[in-house]
Amino acid sequence: MRQRGRIAAAGAVVAGLAAVLFAPAAMAQSNAGLLTVRAIDGTNKKAVAVTFLWTGDQAGLENLTIREDGEAKKVDKLTDLRKTEKRLGIVAVVDLSGSMADDGALTRAKAGLAKMAAALSPGDQMAIVSYNNQAVVETAFTSDQDQITAALDGMTAPRDGKTAMFDGIRKGVSLFSSRPGLQPNMIVVADGKDDVSKETLESAKASVVGSGAAFFGVEMTHRTGADLASIHSIIDRTGGAVFSGSSRDEVAKAFAGVNTTIRSQFVATYASIADQGSVNFSLAVDNVETQASYVVGVKAEGAATTKVTSAPLAQGPAWMRSAGSVTLAFVLVGLAAGLGVFAIAALASRNESVLSAVLRPYDEDGASAPDKEGAGGLAQTALMQRVVEITEDLAERQGYLEKVEHLLERADLPLRAAEAIFFYVAGVAILGIGGVFGLGLLPGLLITGLAVLVPPAVFKFLAARRGKKFVGQLPDTLSLLSGSLRAGYSLMQGLDAVSQEVTEPMA
């Protein structure tokens, strides 16, 4: 596997190939309406309760169809969520950047939220979080109209305010833990793209997914508009919708649409025959269908009901062409072509030896026959292996080998330290000689200096970035894992689900 990793790394440098796959969401939408599964309570198999959101014609609910593992089930009871004991928890995350002060945008947004607060049913609660340069809790969950009004009246948009939307989302999600009995819903009001958040889109998305909240956006279009790509990427994993507006009537209609959508929720109950394990579930209304899953005996909420089939892959690097020396271009292209030919040849000719090397430790005599240090590297010929061994001996005596090994490990680069040192020195020599003869003494020395300084700097940067990203992903990963376990997943199922939600290096 190490051999394939090194070859893949060389191939990536040569070709710059990438593949992007998108995970399907547990949400269905058509012109008829929006259909999203919010929760499945499988604690009582004689009365499995499915909470879902449906914004289409309610007459279509007469044709509601539920299937378990492809088998149709009779719906015993269908109830409006407002007639159950379940209450709503709504967190409004409001943009207070400088642009919100233009055209009365903030005033219209506050008026829309005030109407939503006034329409809260008994037991429902609302919290408000604002964000510009940082996120601030204006009011925690409450049903007190005076407290909500005071929070809205106190919000202003300073002219120098920037946009920390991802920080605001994370701050809003943190409030749900104080009201675990409420059904979580989040509304983000925005008119621009995030530009100062400490959090990333991935961490904000993970926090919303982990909370089980439905996600809604109100885009203020009086200027450039909100970052709809980021908002939709969250909605694709959690369910929800986006509403837009600029004028007073449009904004009022947008908030009314959010309020109507959040309240268009129903609970269907049916009898299941499943005794244990995971159950594939589908729900259809008026030819609109959505799929989910749940574990018998537990309650799943939000993204825990989603059937995730794939995770997005990171895109590979792309080479930028230089407008400089023709000689330098030829040298770089030659090196790239050589690596590409080597990668293809190695993939075509060394599969059997690589497989044998991987399986050797598990043979009866495997423990006594470990791989040689030089096996499985980029240097395959006897001459190259000998040169690499000499490089390794010299570097080890000088104390560089261990430092380079540590740096490559931190940067997650699939290279042996001795090989990295050898190709680094060889690359500096080739670029230096090519630069001197092709461009002259001073430009050649400059290129040589850059060749000497840039690779170590890049490796250190990659190592630092990877370490920082790993630490930043740790809280969200633990939160997602604990949520999966609480939802009834086994440890291995939880790890599998979390590994598809998070990105590298945590994945």
Side-chain angles (χ1 to χ4, degrees):
M1 296 303 291
R2 290 181 177 273
Q3 168 71 2
R4 289 185 179 274
R6 295 187 179 98
I7 293 172
V13 172
V14 176
L17 297 176
V20 180
L21 301 175
F22 295 91
M27 178 179 69
Q29 185 172 9
S30 71
N31 294 330
L34 174 69
L35 179 63
T36 306
V37 174
R38 292 298 313 273
I40 303 178
D41 186 352
T43 54
N44 180 5
K45 76 171 189 175
K46 294 183 179 180
V48 177
V50 182
T51 302
F52 64 95
L53 185 153
W54 168 246
T55 61
D57 187 355
Q58 292 193 17
L61 294 173
E62 297 178 0
N63 300 319
L64 173 68
T65 302
I66 292 177
R67 294 180 182 274
E68 273 193 356
D69 294 327
E71 182 180 348
K73 299 296 179 182
K74 178 184 177 181
V75 178
D76 296 327
K77 186 177 181 181
L78 181 64
T79 309
D80 191 311
L81 182 67
R82 289 172 292 184
K83 297 180 181 179
T84 69
E85 296 180 355
K86 192 68 173 181
R87 299 295 92 189
L88 302 179
I90 302 173
V91 174
V93 183
V94 185
D95 188 351
L96 295 186
S97 61
S99 56
M100 285 292 288
D102 298 336
D103 306 320
L106 179 58
T107 299
R108 293 165 184 168
K110 288 159 62 172
L113 289 172
K115 288 185 178 180
M116 287 190 66
L120 288 175
S121 300
D124 293 349
Q125 297 190 31
M126 176 180 282
I128 299 176
V129 174
S130 65
Y131 64 89
N132 41 47
N133 293 56
Q134 60 183 2
V136 176
V137 177
E138 301 290 347
T139 177
F141 276 112
T142 182
S143 56
D144 188 330
Q145 296 294 316
D146 292 337
Q147 183 175 334
I148 297 174
T149 300
L152 291 172
D153 291 343
M155 294 193 304
T156 59
R159 284 294 175 183
D160 60 348
K162 296 187 180 298
T163 305
M165 182 174 72
F166 302 148
D167 289 349
I169 292 173
R170 284 296 305 273
K171 179 74 75 172
V173 168
S174 68
L175 299 179
F176 288 127
S177 61
S178 65
R179 295 291 190 276
L182 298 176
Q183 185 197 63
N185 300 272
M186 176 170 286
I187 305 168
V188 171
V189 182
D191 76 339
K193 294 185 177 181
D194 192 299
D195 52 13
V196 294
S197 279
K198 296 179 181 178
E199 300 291 341
T200 63
L201 170 60
E202 288 74 18
S203 63
K205 182 193 303 184
S207 66
V208 179
V209 170
S211 71
F215 194 81
F216 301 89
V218 175
E219 179 195 24
M220 309 297 290
T221 58
H222 65 113
R223 297 196 61 175
T224 59
D227 182 3
L228 291 183
S230 296
I231 292 175
H232 277 298
S233 72
I234 299 176
I235 290 175
D236 287 344
R237 291 295 297 118
T238 63
V242 177
F243 300 82
S244 302
S246 176
S247 66
R248 182 179 61 183
D249 291 342
E250 290 173 346
V251 173
K253 184 177 180 180
F255 278 98
V258 173
N259 196 38
T260 299
T261 301
I262 292 178
R263 297 179 183 283
S264 299
Q265 298 192 63
F266 305 88
V267 180
T269 58
Y270 69 95
S272 172
I273 61 173
D275 293 322
Q276 61 182 354
S278 179
V279 178
N280 291 325
F281 172 92
S282 69
L283 177 72
V285 181
D286 265 358
N287 296 321
V288 182
E289 184 177 8
T290 184
Q291 297 184 351
S293 66
Y294 74 96
V295 177
V296 176
V298 301
K299 181 186 296 184
E301 188 171 38
T305 66
T306 303
K307 292 180 66 177
V308 181
T309 58
S310 61
L313 301 177
Q315 188 173 356
W319 285 101
M320 299 296 294
R321 279 207 264 178
S322 172
S325 161
V326 175
T327 302
L328 180 60
F330 279 142
V331 170
L332 293 176
V333 171
L335 289 173
L339 285 173
V341 171
F342 171 77
I344 296 172
L347 284 173
S349 64
R350 296 191 59 85
N351 285 343
E352 184 177 354
S353 63
V354 172
L355 180 60
S356 299
V358 173
L359 295 178
R360 188 176 298 120
Y362 302 96
D363 292 339
E364 292 181 358
D365 299 327
S368 61
D371 287 341
K372 294 181 180 180
E373 181 66 21
L378 290 175
Q380 295 298 315
T381 66
L383 177 60
M384 289 293 292
Q385 289 178 1
R386 180 56 181 163
V387 173
V388 170
E389 288 174 2
I390 295 174
T391 303
E392 183 176 15
D393 292 338
L394 292 174
E396 187 172 15
R397 284 199 295 268
Q398 297 298 322
Y400 293 131
L401 188 66
E402 185 175 354
K403 295 179 181 179
V404 175
E405 286 177 343
H406 181 61
L407 182 59
L408 291 174
E409 182 179 3
R410 289 176 54 217
D412 193 30
L413 294 175
L415 288 172
R416 287 175 50 208
E419 291 173 341
I421 295 172
F422 170 75
F423 286 114
Y424 168 69
V425 174
V428 171
I430 292 174
L431 293 176
I433 294 173
V436 169
F437 284 95
L439 300 176
L441 180 60
L442 291 179
L445 292 176
L446 177 60
I447 290 175
T448 303
L450 291 175
V452 170
L453 297 176
V454 170
V458 171
F459 288 178
K460 290 180 181 179
F461 170 77
L462 292 175
R465 185 179 66 175
R466 185 168 180 263
K468 182 178 180 181
K469 190 172 183 179
F470 182 92
V471 173
Q473 290 176 319
L474 188 57
D476 296 323
T477 302
L478 295 176
S479 176
L480 283 173
L481 182 57
S482 64
S484 298
L485 296 177
R486 285 197 300 269
Y489 284 76
S490 68
L491 179 59
M492 295 305 297
Q493 289 175 327
L495 289 173
D496 180 66
V498 172
S499 70
Q500 297 183 67
E501 288 291 342
V502 299
T503 56
E504 295 295 337
M506 182 62 72

